[in-house]
mmCIF file of all heavy atoms in Angstrom:
data_model
loop_
_atom_site.group_PDB
_atom_site.id
_atom_site.type_symbol
_atom_site.label_atom_id
_atom_site.label_comp_id
_atom_site.label_asym_id
_atom_site.label_seq_id
_atom_site.Cartn_x
_atom_site.Cartn_y
_atom_site.Cartn_z
ATOM 1 N N PRO A 93 121.482 81.848 110.052
ATOM 2 C CA PRO A 93 120.812 83.138 109.831
ATOM 3 C C PRO A 93 119.918 83.167 108.593
ATOM 4 O O PRO A 93 118.974 83.948 108.528
ATOM 5 C CB PRO A 93 121.989 84.114 109.684
ATOM 6 C CG PRO A 93 123.127 83.457 110.395
ATOM 7 C CD PRO A 93 122.941 81.992 110.171
ATOM 8 N N ASP A 135 135.778 81.943 84.227
ATOM 9 C CA ASP A 135 136.861 81.220 83.558
ATOM 10 C C ASP A 135 136.469 80.821 82.138
ATOM 11 O O ASP A 135 137.310 80.776 81.231
ATOM 12 C CB ASP A 135 137.230 79.958 84.347
ATOM 13 C CG ASP A 135 137.908 80.279 85.671
ATOM 14 O OD1 ASP A 135 138.383 81.429 85.829
ATOM 15 O OD2 ASP A 135 137.963 79.399 86.543
ATOM 16 N N ARG A 166 128.686 97.488 91.048
ATOM 17 C CA ARG A 166 128.415 98.559 92.001
ATOM 18 C C ARG A 166 129.164 98.246 93.290
ATOM 19 O O ARG A 166 129.096 97.129 93.804
ATOM 20 C CB ARG A 166 126.917 98.666 92.271
ATOM 21 C CG ARG A 166 126.556 99.766 93.248
ATOM 22 C CD ARG A 166 125.087 99.725 93.584
ATOM 23 N NE ARG A 166 124.249 100.043 92.437
ATOM 24 C CZ ARG A 166 123.097 99.454 92.161
ATOM 25 N NH1 ARG A 166 122.645 98.482 92.931
ATOM 26 N NH2 ARG A 166 122.390 99.817 91.111
ATOM 27 N N PRO A 192 137.342 102.451 80.703
ATOM 28 C CA PRO A 192 138.344 103.354 81.293
ATOM 29 C C PRO A 192 137.738 104.580 81.969
ATOM 30 O O PRO A 192 138.121 105.716 81.695
ATOM 31 C CB PRO A 192 139.189 103.750 80.077
ATOM 32 C CG PRO A 192 138.214 103.742 78.944
ATOM 33 C CD PRO A 192 137.257 102.612 79.235
ATOM 34 N N ALA A 209 132.871 89.284 80.326
ATOM 35 C CA ALA A 209 132.506 88.100 81.113
ATOM 36 C C ALA A 209 133.709 87.483 81.799
ATOM 37 O O ALA A 209 133.637 87.057 82.954
ATOM 38 C CB ALA A 209 131.817 87.080 80.210
ATOM 39 N N ARG A 259 129.878 101.697 110.787
ATOM 40 C CA ARG A 259 129.436 100.637 111.705
ATOM 41 C C ARG A 259 128.280 99.841 111.090
ATOM 42 O O ARG A 259 128.227 98.616 111.194
ATOM 43 C CB ARG A 259 129.016 101.242 113.045
ATOM 44 C CG ARG A 259 130.160 101.855 113.839
ATOM 45 C CD ARG A 259 131.105 100.797 114.389
ATOM 46 N NE ARG A 259 132.231 101.384 115.099
ATOM 47 C CZ ARG A 259 132.240 101.692 116.379
ATOM 48 N NH1 ARG A 259 131.149 101.491 117.104
ATOM 49 N NH2 ARG A 259 133.310 102.208 116.946
ATOM 50 N N LEU A 373 104.578 99.703 105.971
ATOM 51 C CA LEU A 373 104.113 100.786 106.848
ATOM 52 C C LEU A 373 102.700 101.232 106.486
ATOM 53 O O LEU A 373 101.881 101.514 107.369
ATOM 54 C CB LEU A 373 105.083 101.964 106.756
ATOM 55 C CG LEU A 373 106.493 101.703 107.292
ATOM 56 C CD1 LEU A 373 107.443 102.818 106.869
ATOM 57 C CD2 LEU A 373 106.482 101.552 108.800
ATOM 58 N N LYS A 380 102.087 100.242 114.970
ATOM 59 C CA LYS A 380 102.170 98.782 115.043
ATOM 60 C C LYS A 380 103.538 98.298 114.595
ATOM 61 O O LYS A 380 104.113 97.371 115.189
ATOM 62 C CB LYS A 380 101.076 98.145 114.185
ATOM 63 C CG LYS A 380 101.040 96.627 114.272
ATOM 64 C CD LYS A 380 99.882 96.050 113.465
ATOM 65 C CE LYS A 380 99.886 94.520 113.535
ATOM 66 N NZ LYS A 380 98.781 93.937 112.718
ATOM 67 N N ALA A 471 147.568 127.585 101.976
ATOM 68 C CA ALA A 471 148.703 127.842 101.085
ATOM 69 C C ALA A 471 148.693 126.925 99.864
ATOM 70 O O ALA A 471 149.149 127.317 98.778
ATOM 71 C CB ALA A 471 150.007 127.669 101.855
ATOM 72 N N LEU A 473 145.967 125.601 98.374
ATOM 73 C CA LEU A 473 144.750 125.676 97.566
ATOM 74 C C LEU A 473 145.018 126.038 96.103
ATOM 75 O O LEU A 473 144.491 125.386 95.186
ATOM 76 C CB LEU A 473 143.768 126.672 98.176
ATOM 77 C CG LEU A 473 142.651 126.103 99.055
ATOM 78 C CD1 LEU A 473 141.794 127.229 99.628
ATOM 79 C CD2 LEU A 473 141.775 125.131 98.284
ATOM 80 N N ALA A 503 122.412 104.122 77.626
ATOM 81 C CA ALA A 503 123.760 103.741 77.208
ATOM 82 C C ALA A 503 124.319 102.600 78.045
ATOM 83 O O ALA A 503 125.248 101.910 77.622
ATOM 84 C CB ALA A 503 124.704 104.944 77.290
ATOM 85 N N ASP A 530 120.893 132.787 89.024
ATOM 86 C CA ASP A 530 121.412 133.347 90.266
ATOM 87 C C ASP A 530 120.910 132.597 91.490
ATOM 88 O O ASP A 530 121.146 133.026 92.618
ATOM 89 C CB ASP A 530 121.049 134.825 90.377
ATOM 90 C CG ASP A 530 119.541 135.079 90.252
ATOM 91 O OD1 ASP A 530 118.777 134.086 90.197
ATOM 92 O OD2 ASP A 530 119.135 136.260 90.206
ATOM 93 N N GLN A 546 116.283 110.086 91.108
ATOM 94 C CA GLN A 546 115.307 110.741 91.993
ATOM 95 C C GLN A 546 114.687 111.993 91.350
ATOM 96 O O GLN A 546 114.758 113.094 91.892
ATOM 97 C CB GLN A 546 115.966 111.081 93.329
ATOM 98 C CG GLN A 546 116.443 109.840 94.089
ATOM 99 C CD GLN A 546 117.008 110.161 95.455
ATOM 100 O OE1 GLN A 546 117.913 110.983 95.573
ATOM 101 N NE2 GLN A 546 116.496 109.536 96.482
ATOM 102 N N GLU A 586 103.937 116.426 87.685
ATOM 103 C CA GLU A 586 104.110 116.260 86.239
ATOM 104 C C GLU A 586 103.322 117.347 85.519
ATOM 105 O O GLU A 586 102.101 117.388 85.572
ATOM 106 C CB GLU A 586 103.639 114.877 85.802
ATOM 107 C CG GLU A 586 103.891 114.605 84.324
ATOM 108 C CD GLU A 586 103.455 113.221 83.905
ATOM 109 O OE1 GLU A 586 104.138 112.248 84.290
ATOM 110 O OE2 GLU A 586 102.418 113.119 83.216
ATOM 111 N N GLU A 616 113.309 134.294 95.695
ATOM 112 C CA GLU A 616 112.323 133.215 95.648
ATOM 113 C C GLU A 616 112.920 131.989 94.968
ATOM 114 O O GLU A 616 113.388 132.060 93.827
ATOM 115 C CB GLU A 616 111.061 133.654 94.918
ATOM 116 C CG GLU A 616 109.988 132.569 94.944
ATOM 117 C CD GLU A 616 108.689 132.974 94.273
ATOM 118 O OE1 GLU A 616 108.739 133.725 93.264
ATOM 119 O OE2 GLU A 616 107.614 132.554 94.762
ATOM 120 N N GLY A 623 105.493 126.062 93.573
ATOM 121 C CA GLY A 623 104.477 125.710 94.547
ATOM 122 C C GLY A 623 103.307 126.669 94.593
ATOM 123 O O GLY A 623 102.187 126.280 94.958
ATOM 124 N N SER A 626 99.551 127.148 89.736
ATOM 125 C CA SER A 626 98.834 125.942 89.324
ATOM 126 C C SER A 626 99.532 125.304 88.132
ATOM 127 O O SER A 626 100.396 125.922 87.485
ATOM 128 C CB SER A 626 97.393 126.296 88.941
ATOM 129 O OG SER A 626 97.374 127.056 87.734
ATOM 130 N N GLU A 629 98.939 127.419 85.094
ATOM 131 C CA GLU A 629 99.733 128.651 85.104
ATOM 132 C C GLU A 629 101.169 128.380 84.718
ATOM 133 O O GLU A 629 101.782 129.158 83.973
ATOM 134 C CB GLU A 629 99.665 129.295 86.496
ATOM 135 C CG GLU A 629 98.323 129.947 86.803
ATOM 136 C CD GLU A 629 98.235 130.433 88.223
ATOM 137 O OE1 GLU A 629 98.771 129.759 89.137
ATOM 138 O OE2 GLU A 629 97.615 131.489 88.454
#
Side-chain angles (χ1 to χ4, degrees):
D135 291 343
R166 180 186 294 142
R259 293 290 178 88
L373 294 167
K380 183 177 178 182
L473 262 178
D530 55 6
Q546 297 184 306
E586 184 179 288
E616 184 178 35
S626 69
E629 287 174 323

